[in-house]
Every structure is written in structure tokens, then in C-alpha cells.
């Protein structure tokens, strides 16, 4: 099933899930083409749940979401999306290059994104030696590899130092300027302020 984009990259309508006797949602949200949208709210407000439902990573109980006009199906992940999870997984015994080579075969592309996130100097080290912040940068690099039309990030500044957070802010602003879209969840108000993002606040599982 397809829906009209109406200038939007992502559309969620009545999206939510029931967990025991608690409902999270319904969420109604649109992310425009060339727009940065920041989900903010306290821990447990529903930011990560919304992202996972919207991308089809978790199955919804009601409502739906559409990316690039096409319905998101948990059995068929959407194309054109780069995703930074709140805790990324890698093959720890492989180095940074080889981990990224699992999702992109072009060495030049891999080299370019590692430079952008500040990992070029450690690209041949095994990931098991990486700090939490370095793993987060590698997760961002992986999401950038396919130059996705929609970049989705869940708490992307976790464990990043000031320099890495500044690099990420530059990447997000450039993404928007190129006409692509960004949806992120963050508790880092100061970082969000640098992005000129549309802020959507979640409280107790619903959009405030």
C-alpha cells in the first residue's frame, strides 16, 4: 500500500503498540523531505519505541508508517534508510573496514565515511578494542554508507566527545542541505539546539 508523500519522507498515522496493560502511542508524525526532526523527552517517554515501530523493527499493535510513500512491513525492511541504534552491534573480532564491508563493497566509500567520523586512524584495529564512543562513531559511519534518503538516529551523541558531536552535527546539517531527511531521538538539548531541527516532545508514550 502506498500513500501520498505530500512533501514528506516518513509518515506515521495512529502508530502504537500495546505492552501488557500499557499502550505506547498512538503517534502521528511526519518528517518532511529535507527536514530534521528531533524527538525529545524523558527516559521511558517512547522515543526509541516510536523509532523501532516506524522502521518496522518491532511490530505495531495499531496504526502504520510509510517511508518514501510505501508502507513499512516488519518482514521487509524499508530501503533508503540509514539507522543508528541506541546500542549498535558489530563483529568484534573484525576491524572497522571489514565490518563496514559487510554492507558496502566499495573501499573508497568505506574510507570516506571513516574519515568523516574520525576513525580513519584506527580503521584496521579490531572493534573489540574500541571504546563506547568509537563504536558509536562506527555505527554512524555504517548508517552513512549508502547515502540514505532518510537517516534515523537513536541517541546518537551517547559516549561521543565534544569533537565527535560537532562532527555529527555538521553531518546532519549537510544531510538536510542536500535535500535528505533526518529523524533523531535525543536527550542532549544543547546538541539539538545546534541542528535547527523541528522538535517533537513525547510524554508518557504520546506526542505532547
Amino acid at each position: 500500500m502506498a500513500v501520498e508523500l505530500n512533501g514528506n519522507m516518513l509518515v506515521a498515522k495512529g502508530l502504537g503498540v500495546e505492552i501488557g496493560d500499557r499502550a505506547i502511542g498512538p503517534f502521528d508524525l511526519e518528517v518532511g523531505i529535507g527536514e530534521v526532526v528531533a524527538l525529545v523527552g524523558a527516559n521511558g517517554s517512547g522515543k526509541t519505541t516510536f523509532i523501532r515501530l516506524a522502521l518496522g523493527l518491532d511490530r505495531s499493535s495499531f496504526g502504520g508508517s510509510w517511508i518514501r510513500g510505501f508502507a513499512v512491513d516488519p518482514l521487509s525492511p524499508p530501503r533508503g534508510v540509514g539507522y543508528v541504534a541506541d546500542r549498535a552491534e558489530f563483529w568484534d573480532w573484525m576491524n572497522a573496514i571489514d565490518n563496514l564491508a559487510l554492507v558496502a563493497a566499495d573501499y573508497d566509500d568505506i574510507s570516506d565515511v571513516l574519515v568523516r567520523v574520525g576513525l580513519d586512524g584506527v580503521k584496521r584495529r579490531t572493534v573489540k578494542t574500541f571504546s563506547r564512543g568509537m563504536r558509536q562513531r562506527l555505527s554512524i559511519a555504517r548508517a552513512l554508507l549508502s547515502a540514505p534518503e532518510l537517516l534515523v538516529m537513536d541517541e546518537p551523541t551517547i559516549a561521543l566527545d565534544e569533537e565527535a558531536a560537532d562532527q555529527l552535527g555538521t553531518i546532519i546539517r549537510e544531510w538536510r542541505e542536500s535535500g535528505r531527511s533526518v529523524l533523531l531521538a535525543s536527550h542532549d538539548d544543547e546538541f539539538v539546539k545546534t541542528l535547527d531541527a523541528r522538535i517533537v516532545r513525547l510524554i508518557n508514550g504520546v506526542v505532547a
Side-chain angles (χ1 to χ4, degrees), residues 46-83:
K47 301 187 300 294
T48 295
T49 298
F50 171 78
I51 284 176
R52 292 187 61 83
L53 293 174
L55 296 183
L57 298 172
D58 291 334
R59 188 174 292 277
S60 62
S61 303
F62 42 86
S65 59
W66 293 259
I67 295 176
R68 299 164 61 235
F70 295 93
V72 173
D73 180 352
L75 298 178
S76 180
R79 297 179 180 272
V81 178
Y83 176 50

Side-chain angles (χ1 to χ4, degrees), residues 122-177:
V122 294
K123 61 189 177 184
R124 298 194 184 278
R125 278 176 48 183
T126 56
V127 174
K128 69 180 179 182
T129 69
F130 279 18
S131 67
R132 176 97 190 267
M134 292 165 69
R135 292 174 72 92
Q136 186 74 347
R137 287 196 247 179
L138 187 59
S139 179
I140 293 166
R142 183 168 60 187
L144 297 175
L145 259 180
S146 62
E149 296 175 70
L150 174 63
L151 188 59
V152 181
M153 300 177 154
D154 192 357
E155 299 290 357
T157 59
I158 284 180
L160 295 186
D161 58 25
E162 185 175 350
E163 180 182 3
D166 287 344
Q167 289 174 327
L168 176 60
T170 297
I171 289 168
I172 290 173
R173 290 188 292 272
E174 290 176 349
W175 223 251
R176 180 189 60 225
E177 290 164 5

Side-chain angles (χ1 to χ4, degrees), residues 91-115:
W91 294 103
D92 283 354
W93 53 272
M94 296 169 65
N95 64 32
I97 293 174
D98 290 342
N99 265 280
L100 296 187
L102 296 173
V103 294
D106 192 304
Y107 177 82
D108 289 338
D109 290 343
I110 292 172
S111 182
D112 287 346
V113 296
L114 288 172
V115 169

